[in-house]
Amino acid sequence: IERLRRGQLRPEARLDLHGMYQDAAQGAVVGFITESAARGHRCVLVITGRGSREGTGVLRERLPQWLNQPPCRAHVLAFTPARPQHGRDGAFYVLLRRKRGDRS
């Protein structure tokens, strides 16, 4: 998890939520996390954008809730804001659980 925070795990897939409304974005996140886990990805990047100048972006604020709810919760081990090269405050690294028996 520390390697995730330091940005030392290279994202194997990315999802960009720019321009999406909440419902569409939530569906996209659920599908992306489920599909990424099925493909055996370990680290993925979800780009929410930073939001408007006033306050925080709605998608950025809601992503942690979505990741902590079923069905994402079963696949997500941890998540943290991305490093500058991957979008900083407007993106998150998501560490996915390994499949049983997968030691890669």
Side-chain angles (χ1 to χ4, degrees):
I1 294 174
E2 197 54 42
R3 288 178 60 213
L4 180 73
R5 282 195 193 104
R6 287 192 209 120
Q8 293 174 332
L9 295 176
R10 175 171 281 133
E12 298 169 90
R14 60 190 289 245
L15 173 66
D16 191 339
L17 301 175
H18 278 108
M20 289 189 189
Y21 290 105
Q22 269 188 79
D23 290 344
Q26 183 175 10
V29 167
V30 168
F32 176 69
I33 295 296
T34 304
E35 179 69 22
S36 293
R39 290 179 182 214
H41 293 320
R42 189 76 170 120
C43 178
V44 296
L45 182 69
V46 178
I47 301 166
T48 60
R50 290 189 183 97
S52 64
R53 284 178 182 62
E54 306 85 34
T56 183
V58 174
L59 301 182
R60 185 170 153 245
E61 195 174 274
R62 298 292 301 223
L63 182 67
Q65 295 169 1
W66 298 338
L67 295 174
N68 277 311
Q69 295 172 345
C72 291
R73 182 72 249 160
H75 303 296
V76 175
L77 188 60
F79 56 90
T80 189
R83 304 291 292 176
Q85 68 268 28
H86 290 126
R88 192 174 293 163
D89 296 337
F92 288 85
Y93 297 125
V94 181
L95 184 64
L96 301 176
R97 297 179 191 278
R98 281 194 176 102
K99 289 183 182 179
R100 294 241 183 250
D102 182 13
R103 287 273 112 210
S104 55

